[in-house]
Amino acid sequence: MTRGFLEKGVLAGLVFMTGFAVFIFALVLAEVAVRGGGALNAGFFLEEARDFGAAGGVRYQMEGTLLLMVGAAALGLPLALAGALFQTEYVDAPGLKRGLRLLVYSMNGVPTILFGLLGYLFFGITLGAGVSWLTGVLILAIMILPTIQVSVQEAIEALPEQYREAAGALGLSRWQVVRSIVLPHCLYGIVTGTLLGLARAAGETAAILFTATAFSGARFPEAMSDPVPTLQTHILVLAQEALNPRTIENAWGAGLVLLCLVFSLIALSLVFRGRLSMEFER
Amino acid sequence: MIPAIGIVDVRVAYNGKPVLDAVSARVRKHSAVAVIGPSGTGKSTLLRTLSRMNDRVPGFKVEGKLRVGGEDVYAKGLDVCRLRRKVGMIFQTPCMFPKSIFENVIFGLRHQEPARSKEFPDIAQQVLRRVFLWEEVKDRLHKPAPNLSLGQQQRLAIARTLAVEPDILLLDEPTSSLDPQSALAIEELILSLKKDHTLLLVTHQLAQARRVSDETIFLEAGRVIESGPTEAVFGRPAHAATRAYLGRAEEA
Ligand SMILES: Nc1ncnc2c1ncn2[C@@H]1O[C@H](COP(=O)(O)OP(=O)(O)O)[C@@H](O)[C@H]1O
Ligand SMILES: [Mg+2]
């Protein structure tokens, strides 16, 4: 077999697989849009769910999902930023650097149910936060931390060493170099990472299902110890238990809302990815 | 008199691989010393070691004594930032921050002496004049510095370093990435700096070393082969290795 032939074969395989992925993606999108599109109207976004999801909308579920996402990002971002800066700017030992890197990358691959379980045992039981909005935010923050950190870290590592050296040679301390050179440079990396983290939190179900969310009767939480309703839990419960076709349609509608939310976050993150703010200023 | 730079029996290794071997040298105050020698010989390493630019390099190890202005460069508890203000470093390729010309010039000052911000415009003008760049940039001080030509960028890099008032300037092949005309301009500038500064200049251009320096150090494979007054090293090299290098470099 000639080399050219092999290359063509591999290329054809890749094209086929890419096409297949796009096809599946379009199929899912179309399916959800067709089944849930009918449920969407102004009331769906503005009203409270009634009749076990058969009537009304998903207002509180949307608010709950947003609350968990934003809370998790608000907590996760500073931690991830600190972690990334510590590893890239302050740790000089190459062995430790590699170890920390491995840790962050493998945290990204831990099944989310484990985060839920351990997070609930620690935050919910040991620290007494119970099934609550707070427990959910804590669990999600830890879960999306590696997602944000990897993105920030890659942006920082793309900064040529000569910028640091030029600033250091002028007598700036490490922290001054971080503030004036490194942070402005990786601004878009921070934005990208945060958006991806938000998307990850929005799509997450397993880790928060029994630790932070409630199904019926829950509204916008009044205290940090209250559980929240979320789109994810809503969809799951409706899909599992409903018989009424209106309810099923509303479940698909909620799914469509969630899908749009996640996709727009990812699309937005792609806009920022790879853009370097330092070059942007020129 | 205490020399501005004193290097005694310095050994440097990266990850156990020796790069500088028993290097000793002295640089008198307000004199210019050229360091010449083949590539990969440790010239950059010597300069970087003097301003502690290698602290972040993994596996870097230094032995021996390095002093600037009588102060031990590797003393415990030394304020590295203060040292680097005293010992300015100019690199082969100028690295402009993605900011305006003005912000680049006062970049170091802005961080070290923010209280003096009223004086910044005057200081900027003064150092830009000293590097013969003022006339060329005075009308576009607030335009991005990365748009300048390489030669102008290198002069700006020198101005930026002068603004933090170093006593010593370490220049690592400052003209190698420039066209001949810009290189000559930098050379003129270096000559004019000798009045107030002590200079240690690494260069591949032997003619430049001859024109600029009072003394020359010839480094090969991490060892000082020969050092002394520039005229002596170039005119009557004592070692065969020096003669061989000067001959080879002349041909090239
Ligand atoms: N950061 C580093 N890590 C490992 N080895 C290095 C590093 N910097 C330089 N070296 C090695 O040290 C030797 C001397 O390099 P250098 O000081 O740059 O020489 P010169 O400036 O004379 O060309 C070379 O063999 C080079 O490969
Ligand atoms: Mg070099």
Side-chain angles (χ1 to χ4, degrees), chain A residues 231-249:
Chain A
L231 287 171
Q232 298 96 305
T233 318
H234 195 66
I235 296 165
L236 194 74
V237 176
L238 291 197
Q240 272 182 339
E241 312 201 345
L243 298 168
N244 180 346
R246 284 283 303 144
T247 313
I248 302 279
E249 191 183 32

Side-chain angles (χ1 to χ4, degrees), chain A residues 10-184:
Chain A
V10 170
L11 187 66
L14 288 176
V15 168
F16 174 75
M17 284 190 281
T18 309
F20 189 68
V22 170
F23 173 71
I24 295 285
F25 175 73
L27 203 67
V28 169
L29 203 61
E31 177 89 4
V32 177
V34 166
R35 291 189 184 238
L40 299 194
N41 53 46
F44 194 70
F45 294 100
L46 298 174
E47 287 170 24
E48 182 178 356
R50 291 188 309 274
D51 284 351
F52 197 71
V58 290
R59 174 182 160 190
Y60 289 118
Q61 283 73 16
M62 276 168 37
E63 287 176 357
T65 294
L66 284 175
L67 187 66
L68 282 180
M69 281 163 53
V70 172
L75 197 62
L77 175 61
L79 292 176
L81 197 57
L85 287 174
F86 178 70
Q87 273 182 57
T88 55
E89 307 299 316
Y90 290 94
V91 176
D92 287 337
L96 182 58
K97 225 173 191 156
R98 235 173 310 157
L100 285 172
R101 216 185 150 78
L102 192 68
L103 182 74
V104 171
Y105 275 81
S106 27
M107 253 175 83
N108 235 342
V110 172
T112 57
I113 188 78
L114 271 181
F115 281 108
L117 196 61
L118 294 175
Y120 183 68
L121 287 179
F122 184 66
F123 298 122
I125 311 261
T126 310
L127 299 186
V131 175
S132 69
W133 171 69
L134 179 65
T135 306
V137 164
L138 290 170
I139 291 172
L140 286 179
I142 293 178
M143 213 187 81
I144 66 174
L145 192 137
T147 309
I148 306 180
Q149 189 171 334
V150 164
S151 178
V152 173
Q153 214 163 319
E154 280 171 359
I156 295 178
E157 279 160 6
L159 174 70
E161 188 64 22
Q162 52 172 358
Y163 284 99
R164 284 192 190 87
E165 295 204 330
L170 291 169
L172 272 73
S173 67
R174 281 194 185 190
W175 172 237
Q176 286 174 324
V177 174
V178 166
R179 230 180 37 207
S180 64
I181 304 287
V182 180
L183 280 182

Side-chain angles (χ1 to χ4, degrees), chain B residues 127-195:
Chain B
V127 290
L128 284 171
R129 279 188 194 284
R130 272 170 74 191
V131 301
F132 313 116
L133 197 57
W134 175 251
E135 293 300 326
E136 288 162 59
V137 302
K138 67 179 178 196
D139 298 322
R140 48 175 173 144
L141 284 178
H142 298 285
K143 296 273 158 52
N147 292 350
L148 295 171
S149 76
L150 259 190
Q152 290 173 322
Q153 288 188 20
Q154 189 62 296
R155 276 182 282 162
L156 181 48
I158 295 175
R160 178 169 81 181
T161 304
L162 291 178
V164 295
E165 299 175 349
D167 300 326
I168 296 168
L169 285 174
L170 309 174
L171 304 111
D172 192 356
E173 302 188 36
T175 61
S176 316
S177 52
L178 306 182
D179 60 275
Q181 209 173 349
S182 308
L184 273 182
I186 299 281
E187 210 178 293
E188 283 296 309
L189 166 58
I190 293 173
L191 273 172
S192 76
L193 292 174
K194 238 160 70 166
K195 187 156 56 68

Side-chain angles (χ1 to χ4, degrees), chain B residues 1-11 23-29 46-52 62-76 78 82-84 86-87 167-170 198 200:
Chain B
M1 193 173 89
I2 304 171
I5 302 175
I7 301 168
V8 182
D9 201 21
V10 164
R11 291 157 208 276
V23 169
S24 296
R26 304 159 64 90
V27 179
R28 275 180 296 110
K29 218 172 158 195
L46 181 64
L47 259 53
R48 294 170 59 88
T49 304
L50 272 169
S51 59
R52 298 217 14 193
V62 57
E63 289 168 89
K65 274 271 170 278
L66 291 116
R67 294 173 175 281
V68 294
E71 198 172 13
D72 187 348
V73 174
Y74 285 87
K76 266 214 187 77
L78 176 98
R82 196 177 53 84
L83 171 85
R84 289 192 185 144
K86 220 164 72 171
V87 185
D167 300 326
I168 296 168
L169 285 174
L170 309 174
T198 306
L200 191 56

